[in-house]
Amino acid sequence: MSHLDGHEELGALIAILPHERVVDAARKQLRRLAVETGLNNYPEVKAALDAWERGVAPPQPDQTGPLALRLRAVLAQADTDRDSIRRWAAEKIALGIWGSPYRSVCESAEIRSHFTVDWRADLHADLGNPPLPPIPDDRFWGALRNPAIDSSWYAAQYAQDRSC
């Protein structure tokens, strides 16, 4: 959950948007991240993101598949070069393709915040530019009813506050 609440009103927006819109924003954020870090220049990364944009399901995680091999090679090179941004980007590409779109969209934006001042505007645009909700508090997260997001800790805190 912390990946959402750290993004204030954008995190709240992500939490309440339809799942399909979050997936679309995750794809867009991953593409931006791949282009900005040069990972889009690798054919395996570009092909996976291109296919995903066309609506083709991402390839299953496979330790010996071309995309996994490429990402592992990028991770190794980033470690050798002490390039934490490129390492994080490769990790987020893998997470975005094979993991939660909610976590992916937030973590991709977080990495982009290290090298572009427009990351918040880009994320908002990728979410479709809907009106931003107020900055959420613990009660917002406690009342959230999105099955894709575990807000149980906040819900427990909210229940305690109401019983006092």
Side-chain angles (χ1 to χ4, degrees):
M1 225 319 281
S2 65
H3 54 276
L4 288 174
D5 61 2
H7 287 291
E8 300 172 335
E9 70 274 13
L10 286 171
L13 181 61
I14 292 165
I16 61 174
L17 284 175
H19 181 264
E20 299 77 30
R21 186 149 343 147
V22 175
V23 170
D24 187 49
R27 280 194 305 262
K28 291 174 181 177
Q29 284 290 301
L30 281 181
R31 176 66 76 180
R32 289 178 191 277
L33 182 62
V35 167
E36 292 165 345
T37 60
L39 294 178
N40 202 58
N41 295 331
Y42 294 113
E44 302 86 354
V45 173
K46 185 176 183 329
L49 293 175
D50 287 349
W52 198 17
E53 286 176 358
R54 291 190 311 273
V56 176
Q60 292 298 313
D62 176 5
Q63 294 295 320
T64 60
L67 179 59
L69 291 173
R70 172 59 71 192
L71 291 174
R72 282 203 315 255
V74 169
L75 289 171
Q77 187 63 49
D79 285 344
T80 299
D81 296 343
R82 298 176 190 230
D83 185 349
S84 58
I85 297 291
R86 195 163 173 86
R87 178 175 184 58
W88 294 337
E91 290 170 347
K92 298 318 167 202
I93 295 287
L95 171 69
I97 290 174
W98 294 310
S100 163
Y102 292 90
R103 185 171 170 195
S104 173
V105 73
C106 289
E107 290 186 2
S108 296
E110 185 177 313
I111 290 172
R112 294 187 65 244
S113 74
H114 291 278
F115 51 87
T116 181
V117 296
D118 295 331
W119 73 272
R120 290 183 68 79
D122 291 342
L123 177 54
H124 191 217
D126 291 346
L127 293 167
N129 284 320
L132 290 172
I135 293 177
D137 58 11
D138 289 353
R139 292 183 190 277
F140 168 85
W141 296 114
L144 181 65
R145 298 294 173 253
N146 182 335
I149 299 169
D150 179 9
S151 59
S152 59
W153 184 87
Y154 288 95
Q157 297 302 312
Y158 181 58
Q160 283 181 353
D161 288 349
R162 290 188 346 186
S163 66
C164 293

